[in-house]
Amino acid sequence: MTFEPYISHATIEARIAELGKEIVRDCQGKSPLFVCVLNGAFPFASDLFRACEELDAEIAFIRVQSYEGTSTTGKVKQVLGLTDKIEGRTVIIVEDIVDTGNTIQNLIDHLNEGRPSEIKIATLLFKPEALVKPVTPDYVGFSIPKKFIIGFGLDINKKGRNLNDIYILKED
Ligand code: IMP
Ligand code: MG
């Protein structure tokens, strides 16, 4: 299996800064709760949350797992739940990637039980061709083809999350 450079760290950082500005603009007068989806979204959430320092924002963490190797298992297991009260609040789900949309749909359903005033989705990466659920991310870093990538939080069998750049699987 070979991976080749795809999105540089500098490009990622610049794009996250832009997304932060958009969120700051859209959330004027609100106190959003960022919900970082572990494990993959933690580098993105860290940068995005700090790109929104002008907001009176909070962050919480939730853990789900849906992938083994390079293909989806279709099953979403929620391992670690949210303890913060979200009733009446603006919740921003922060994801590394929206692929089939199963994970994010599952999370939206789960979070809606807590009666937030609104749920927004921020995802670093989005594979529109792979989407099977009717979800539309509000903030997208990069729309990419239906290919497997690693780096900047994204893993292959738990490895590669600490890469600063994003790499794409080379097909031969
Ligand atoms: P979904 O439920 O199919 O939308 O998949 C969401 C989860 O699958 C993401 O949060 C990732 O953890 C994982 N995933 C999807 N595509 C990739 C990829 O290209 N590389 C690494 N992980 C991926
Ligand atoms: Mg994820």
Side-chain angles (χ1 to χ4, degrees):
M1 221 181 276
T2 322
F3 284 90
E4 54 190 6
Y6 188 53
I7 308 173
S8 73
H9 188 237
T11 304
I12 297 167
E13 294 296 284
R15 185 68 188 124
I16 295 174
E18 285 176 1
L19 293 180
K21 286 198 184 113
E22 271 184 58
I23 292 173
V24 167
R25 193 193 58 211
D26 294 350
C27 288
Q28 286 305 308
K30 296 177 182 172
S31 304
L33 174 67
F34 287 63
V35 175
C36 168
V37 186
L38 295 171
N39 294 327
F42 87 90
F44 175 46
S46 168
D47 287 346
L48 186 67
F49 187 55
R50 286 176 296 123
C52 298
E53 69 174 348
E54 289 164 48
L55 292 176
D56 175 31
E58 294 171 23
I59 190 162
F61 299 86
I62 199 163
R63 186 197 294 257
V64 292
Q65 207 179 9
S66 70
Y67 249 74
E68 266 169 34
T70 58
S71 67
T72 183
T73 61
K75 287 185 205 139
V76 177
K77 286 184 288 182
Q78 192 186 312
V79 183
L80 198 133
L82 190 69
T83 51
D84 300 63
K85 265 190 84 90
I86 60 170
E87 190 169 348
R89 301 193 66 179
T90 294
V91 171
I92 303 176
I93 302 176
V94 184
E95 256 291 21
D96 50 1
I97 188 162
V98 175
D99 185 20
T100 62
N102 281 314
T103 307
I104 207 82
Q105 184 66 64
N106 189 276
L107 266 172
I108 290 168
D109 293 346
H110 175 79
L111 292 174
N112 266 329
E113 288 170 21
R115 299 173 158 275
S117 62
E118 59 179 341
I119 296 179
K120 303 260 190 203
I121 301 163
T123 187
L124 181 61
L125 297 136
F126 181 38
K127 295 182 188 170
E129 296 161 9
L131 197 65
V132 298
K133 296 282 166 160
V135 291
T136 314
D138 301 275
Y139 306 100
V140 174
F142 306 93
S143 285
I144 63 165
K146 204 174 161 179
K147 300 240 173 92
F148 195 78
I149 55 168
I150 56 166
F152 207 82
L154 289 139
D155 71 309
I156 178 154
N157 298 327
K158 302 185 182 173
K159 304 291 183 187
R161 293 198 200 275
N162 54 344
L163 295 167
N164 282 291
D165 301 321
I166 290 176
Y167 297 80
I168 194 160
L169 181 64
K170 204 174 164 184
E171 279 159 22
D172 31 33

